[in-house]
Coordinates of all heavy atoms in Angstrom, one line a residue:
M1 N 3.2 36.8 -27.4 CA 2.9 36.6 -26.0 C 2.0 35.3 -25.9 O 2.2 34.6 -24.9 CB 2.2 37.8 -25.4 CG 2.0 37.7 -24.0 SD 3.6 37.9 -23.1 CE 3.1 38.0 -21.5
G2 N 1.1 35.1 -26.8 CA 0.2 34.0 -26.7 C 0.9 32.6 -26.8 O 0.6 31.7 -26.1
R3 N 2.0 32.6 -27.6 CA 2.7 31.4 -27.8 C 3.5 31.1 -26.5 O 3.6 29.9 -26.1 CB 3.7 31.5 -29.0 CG 4.5 30.2 -29.2 CD 5.3 30.3 -30.4 NE 6.1 29.1 -30.5 CZ 7.2 29.0 -31.2 NH1 7.7 30.0 -31.8 NH2 7.9 27.8 -31.2
R4 N 4.0 32.1 -25.9 CA 4.8 31.9 -24.6 C 3.9 31.3 -23.5 O 4.2 30.4 -22.8 CB 5.4 33.2 -24.2 CG 6.1 33.2 -22.9 CD 7.6 33.0 -23.0 NE 8.2 33.2 -21.7 CZ 9.0 32.3 -21.2 NH1 9.3 31.3 -21.9 NH2 9.5 32.5 -20.0
S5 N 2.6 31.9 -23.4 CA 1.7 31.4 -22.4 C 1.3 29.9 -22.7 O 1.2 29.1 -21.8 CB 0.4 32.2 -22.5 OG 0.7 33.6 -22.1
T6 N 1.2 29.6 -23.9 CA 0.8 28.2 -24.3 C 2.0 27.3 -23.9 O 1.8 26.2 -23.4 CB 0.6 28.1 -25.8 OG1 -0.5 29.0 -26.1 CG2 0.1 26.7 -26.2
E7 N 3.2 27.7 -24.2 CA 4.4 26.9 -23.8 C 4.5 26.7 -22.3 O 4.8 25.6 -21.8 CB 5.7 27.5 -24.4 CG 5.8 27.5 -25.9 CD 6.9 28.2 -26.4 OE1 7.6 29.0 -25.6 OE2 7.2 28.2 -27.6
I8 N 4.2 27.7 -21.6 CA 4.3 27.6 -20.1 C 3.2 26.7 -19.6 O 3.4 25.8 -18.8 CB 4.1 29.0 -19.5 CG1 5.3 29.9 -19.7 CG2 3.8 28.9 -18.0 CD1 5.2 31.3 -19.4
L9 N 2.0 26.8 -20.2 CA 0.9 25.9 -19.8 C 1.2 24.4 -20.1 O 1.0 23.5 -19.3 CB -0.4 26.3 -20.4 CG -1.6 25.5 -20.1 CD1 -2.0 25.5 -18.6 CD2 -2.8 25.9 -21.0
A10 N 1.7 24.2 -21.3 CA 2.1 22.8 -21.7 C 3.2 22.3 -20.8 O 3.1 21.1 -20.4 CB 2.5 22.8 -23.2
S11 N 4.2 23.1 -20.5 CA 5.3 22.6 -19.6 C 4.7 22.3 -18.2 O 5.1 21.3 -17.6 CB 6.4 23.7 -19.5 OG 7.0 23.9 -20.8
G12 N 3.8 23.1 -17.7 CA 3.3 22.8 -16.4 C 2.5 21.6 -16.4 O 2.5 20.8 -15.5
L13 N 1.7 21.4 -17.4 CA 0.9 20.1 -17.5 C 1.7 18.9 -17.6 O 1.5 17.9 -17.0 CB -0.1 20.2 -18.7 CG -1.3 21.2 -18.5 CD1 -2.1 21.3 -19.8 CD2 -2.2 20.8 -17.4
L14 N 2.8 19.0 -18.4 CA 3.7 17.9 -18.6 C 4.4 17.6 -17.2 O 4.6 16.4 -16.8 CB 4.8 18.1 -19.6 CG 5.8 17.0 -19.9 CD1 5.1 15.7 -20.3 CD2 6.8 17.4 -20.9
A15 N 4.8 18.6 -16.5 CA 5.5 18.4 -15.2 C 4.5 17.8 -14.2 O 4.9 16.9 -13.5 CB 6.0 19.7 -14.7
F16 N 3.2 18.2 -14.2 CA 2.2 17.6 -13.4 C 2.0 16.2 -13.7 O 2.0 15.3 -12.8 CB 0.9 18.4 -13.5 CG -0.2 17.8 -12.6 CD1 -0.2 18.0 -11.3 CD2 -1.2 17.0 -13.2 CE1 -1.2 17.4 -10.5 CE2 -2.2 16.4 -12.5 CZ -2.2 16.6 -11.1
A17 N 1.9 15.8 -15.0 CA 1.7 14.5 -15.4 C 2.8 13.6 -15.0 O 2.7 12.5 -14.5 CB 1.4 14.4 -16.9
A18 N 4.0 14.1 -15.2 CA 5.2 13.3 -14.9 C 5.3 13.1 -13.4 O 5.6 12.0 -12.9 CB 6.5 14.0 -15.4
G19 N 5.0 14.1 -12.6 CA 5.0 13.9 -11.2 C 4.0 12.9 -10.7 O 4.2 12.1 -9.8
Y20 N 2.8 13.0 -11.3 CA 1.7 12.0 -11.0 C 2.1 10.6 -11.3 O 1.8 9.7 -10.5 CB 0.4 12.4 -11.7 CG -0.8 11.6 -11.2 CD1 -1.4 12.0 -10.1 CD2 -1.2 10.5 -11.9 CE1 -2.5 11.3 -9.6 CE2 -2.3 9.8 -11.4 CZ -3.0 10.2 -10.3 OH -4.0 9.5 -9.9
V21 N 2.8 10.4 -12.4 CA 3.2 9.0 -12.8 C 4.3 8.6 -11.9 O 4.4 7.4 -11.5 CB 3.6 9.0 -14.3 CG1 4.4 7.7 -14.6 CG2 2.4 9.2 -15.2
L22 N 5.3 9.5 -11.6 CA 6.4 9.1 -10.8 C 6.1 8.9 -9.3 O 6.7 8.1 -8.6 CB 7.6 10.1 -11.0 CG 8.3 10.1 -12.3 CD1 9.2 11.3 -12.4 CD2 9.0 8.8 -12.6
W23 N 5.2 9.7 -8.8 CA 4.9 9.6 -7.4 C 3.4 9.9 -7.2 O 2.9 10.9 -6.7 CB 5.6 10.7 -6.7 CG 6.0 10.3 -5.3 CD1 5.3 10.5 -4.2 CD2 7.2 9.6 -4.9 NE1 5.9 10.0 -3.1 CE2 7.1 9.4 -3.5 CE3 8.3 9.1 -5.6 CZ2 8.0 8.7 -2.8 CZ3 9.2 8.4 -4.9 CH2 9.1 8.2 -3.5
P24 N 2.5 8.9 -7.6 CA 1.1 9.0 -7.5 C 0.6 9.1 -6.0 O 1.1 8.4 -5.2 CB 0.5 7.8 -8.2 CG 1.6 6.8 -8.0 CD 2.9 7.5 -8.0
P25 N -0.4 9.9 -5.8 CA -1.0 10.0 -4.4 C -1.6 8.7 -4.0 O -2.3 8.1 -4.7 CB -2.0 11.2 -4.5 CG -2.3 11.3 -5.9 CD -1.1 10.8 -6.7
R26 N -1.4 8.4 -2.7 CA -2.0 7.2 -2.0 C -1.7 5.9 -2.7 O -2.3 4.9 -2.5 CB -3.5 7.4 -1.9 CG -3.9 8.5 -1.0 CD -5.4 8.6 -0.9 NE -6.1 8.8 -2.2 CZ -6.2 10.0 -2.8 NH1 -5.7 11.1 -2.3 NH2 -6.8 10.1 -4.0
H27 N -0.7 5.9 -3.6 CA -0.3 4.6 -4.3 C 1.2 4.8 -4.6 O 1.6 4.8 -5.8 CB -1.1 4.4 -5.5 CG -0.8 3.0 -6.1 ND1 -1.1 1.8 -5.5 CD2 -0.2 2.7 -7.3 CE1 -0.7 0.8 -6.3 NE2 -0.1 1.3 -7.4
V28 N 2.0 4.9 -3.7 CA 3.5 5.1 -3.9 C 4.1 3.8 -4.1 O 4.6 3.1 -3.2 CB 4.1 5.9 -2.8 CG1 5.6 6.2 -3.1 CG2 3.3 7.2 -2.5
Y29 N 4.1 3.3 -5.3 CA 4.7 2.0 -5.6 C 6.2 1.9 -5.5 O 6.8 0.9 -5.4 CB 4.3 1.5 -7.0 CG 4.5 2.5 -8.1 CD1 5.7 2.6 -8.7 CD2 3.4 3.3 -8.5 CE1 5.9 3.5 -9.7 CE2 3.6 4.3 -9.5 CZ 4.8 4.3 -10.2 OH 5.0 5.2 -11.1
W30 N 6.8 3.1 -5.4 CA 8.3 3.1 -5.3 C 8.7 2.5 -3.9 O 9.8 2.0 -3.7 CB 8.9 4.5 -5.4 CG 8.7 5.0 -6.8 CD1 7.9 6.0 -7.3 CD2 9.3 4.5 -8.0 NE1 8.0 6.1 -8.6 CE2 8.8 5.2 -9.1 CE3 10.2 3.5 -8.3 CZ2 9.2 5.0 -10.4 CZ3 10.6 3.2 -9.6 CH2 10.1 4.0 -10.6
V31 N 7.8 2.6 -2.9 CA 8.1 2.0 -1.6 C 8.3 0.5 -1.7 O 9.2 -0.1 -1.2 CB 7.0 2.4 -0.6 CG1 7.2 1.7 0.7 CG2 6.9 3.9 -0.3
Q32 N 7.4 -0.1 -2.5 CA 7.5 -1.5 -2.7 C 8.7 -1.9 -3.5 O 9.4 -2.9 -3.2 CB 6.2 -2.0 -3.4 CG 5.0 -1.9 -2.5 CD 3.7 -2.1 -3.3 OE1 3.7 -2.2 -4.6 NE2 2.6 -2.3 -2.6
V33 N 9.0 -1.1 -4.5 CA 10.2 -1.3 -5.3 C 11.5 -1.2 -4.4 O 12.4 -2.0 -4.5 CB 10.3 -0.3 -6.5 CG1 11.6 -0.4 -7.2 CG2 9.2 -0.5 -7.4
S34 N 11.5 -0.2 -3.5 CA 12.7 0.0 -2.7 C 12.8 -1.1 -1.7 O 14.0 -1.4 -1.3 CB 12.6 1.4 -1.9 OG 11.6 1.3 -0.9
Q35 N 11.8 -1.7 -1.3 CA 11.9 -2.9 -0.4 C 12.5 -4.1 -1.1 O 13.2 -4.9 -0.5 CB 10.5 -3.3 0.2 CG 10.0 -2.2 1.2 CD 8.6 -2.5 1.6 OE1 7.9 -3.4 1.1 NE2 8.1 -1.8 2.6
A36 N 12.2 -4.2 -2.4 CA 12.8 -5.3 -3.2 C 14.2 -5.1 -3.6 O 15.0 -6.0 -3.6 CB 11.9 -5.5 -4.4
I37 N 14.5 -3.8 -4.1 CA 15.9 -3.6 -4.6 C 16.8 -2.7 -3.8 O 17.9 -2.5 -4.1 CB 15.8 -3.1 -6.1 CG1 15.2 -1.7 -6.1 CG2 15.1 -4.1 -7.0 CD1 15.2 -1.0 -7.5
G38 N 16.2 -2.1 -2.8 CA 17.0 -1.2 -1.9 C 16.6 0.3 -2.2 O 16.2 0.6 -3.3
E39 N 16.7 1.1 -1.2 CA 16.2 2.5 -1.2 C 17.0 3.3 -2.2 O 16.5 4.1 -3.0 CB 16.3 3.1 0.2 CG 15.6 4.5 0.2 CD 15.6 5.0 1.6 OE1 15.5 4.2 2.6 OE2 15.6 6.2 1.8
L40 N 18.4 3.1 -2.2 CA 19.2 3.9 -3.1 C 18.9 3.6 -4.5 O 18.8 4.5 -5.4 CB 20.7 3.7 -2.7 CG 21.7 4.5 -3.5 CD1 21.5 6.0 -3.2 CD2 23.1 4.1 -3.1
A41 N 18.8 2.3 -4.9 CA 18.5 2.0 -6.2 C 17.1 2.5 -6.7 O 17.0 3.0 -7.8 CB 18.6 0.4 -6.4
A42 N 16.1 2.4 -5.8 CA 14.8 2.9 -6.1 C 14.8 4.4 -6.4 O 14.2 4.9 -7.3 CB 13.8 2.6 -5.0
L43 N 15.6 5.2 -5.5 CA 15.7 6.6 -5.7 C 16.4 6.9 -7.0 O 16.1 7.9 -7.7 CB 16.3 7.3 -4.5 CG 15.5 7.3 -3.2 CD1 16.3 7.8 -2.1 CD2 14.3 8.2 -3.4
A44 N 17.4 6.1 -7.3 CA 18.1 6.3 -8.6 C 17.2 6.1 -9.8 O 17.2 6.9 -10.7 CB 19.3 5.4 -8.7
I45 N 16.3 5.1 -9.7 CA 15.4 4.9 -10.8 C 14.4 6.1 -10.9 O 14.1 6.5 -12.0 CB 14.6 3.6 -10.6 CG1 15.6 2.4 -10.8 CG2 13.4 3.4 -11.5 CD1 15.0 1.1 -10.3
V46 N 13.9 6.6 -9.8 CA 13.0 7.7 -9.8 C 13.7 8.9 -10.4 O 13.1 9.6 -11.2 CB 12.4 8.0 -8.4 CG1 11.7 9.3 -8.4 CG2 11.6 6.9 -7.9
G47 N 14.9 9.2 -10.0 CA 15.7 10.3 -10.5 C 16.0 10.2 -11.9 O 15.8 11.2 -12.7
I48 N 16.4 9.1 -12.4 CA 16.7 8.9 -13.8 C 15.4 9.0 -14.6 O 15.4 9.7 -15.7 CB 17.3 7.5 -14.1 CG1 18.8 7.5 -13.5 CG2 17.4 7.2 -15.6 CD1 19.4 6.2 -13.4
S49 N 14.3 8.5 -14.1 CA 13.0 8.6 -14.9 C 12.6 10.1 -15.0 O 12.1 10.5 -16.0 CB 11.9 7.8 -14.1 OG 12.2 6.4 -14.1
A50 N 12.8 10.8 -13.9 CA 12.4 12.2 -13.9 C 13.3 13.0 -14.9 O 12.8 13.9 -15.6 CB 12.6 12.8 -12.5
V51 N 14.5 12.7 -14.9 CA 15.4 13.4 -15.9 C 15.0 13.1 -17.3 O 15.0 13.9 -18.2 CB 16.9 13.0 -15.6 CG1 17.8 13.5 -16.8 CG2 17.4 13.6 -14.3
L52 N 14.7 11.8 -17.6 CA 14.3 11.4 -18.9 C 13.0 12.1 -19.4 O 12.9 12.5 -20.5 CB 14.2 9.9 -19.0 CG 15.5 9.1 -18.9 CD1 15.2 7.6 -18.9 CD2 16.4 9.4 -20.1
V53 N 12.0 12.1 -18.4 CA 10.8 12.8 -18.8 C 11.0 14.3 -19.0 O 10.5 14.9 -19.9 CB 9.7 12.5 -17.7 CG1 8.5 13.4 -17.8 CG2 9.3 11.1 -17.6
G54 N 11.9 14.9 -18.1 CA 12.2 16.3 -18.2 C 12.9 16.6 -19.5 O 12.8 17.7 -20.1
G55 N 13.7 15.7 -20.0 CA 14.5 15.9 -21.2 C 13.6 15.9 -22.4 O 13.7 16.6 -23.4

């Protein structure tokens, strides 16, 4: 049971860190990226990055 709890905690921390990197509070740099390359392309980059981090 202890190993399962550790895995859940590690997964939660990794998910939090990935979310913070991909969409940091008060500094959403993806808005600037979307203005430069377009909203759809910026969302695709965010989505692909999230999948890679999740994988």
Side-chain angles (χ1 to χ4, degrees):
M1 186 72 172
R3 181 174 178 203
R4 175 98 172 128
S5 298
T6 304
E7 291 173 352
I8 291 170
L9 180 62
S11 296
L13 289 174
L14 180 61
F16 176 78
Y20 189 83
V21 168
L22 292 172
W23 213 269
R26 293 180 303 277
H27 185 69
V28 184
Y29 50 84
W30 293 112
V31 173
Q32 295 168 346
V33 172
S34 70
Q35 290 172 352
I37 65 172
E39 187 173 332
L40 185 60
L43 288 174
I45 290 170
V46 171
I48 291 169
S49 298
V51 168
L52 291 175
V53 170

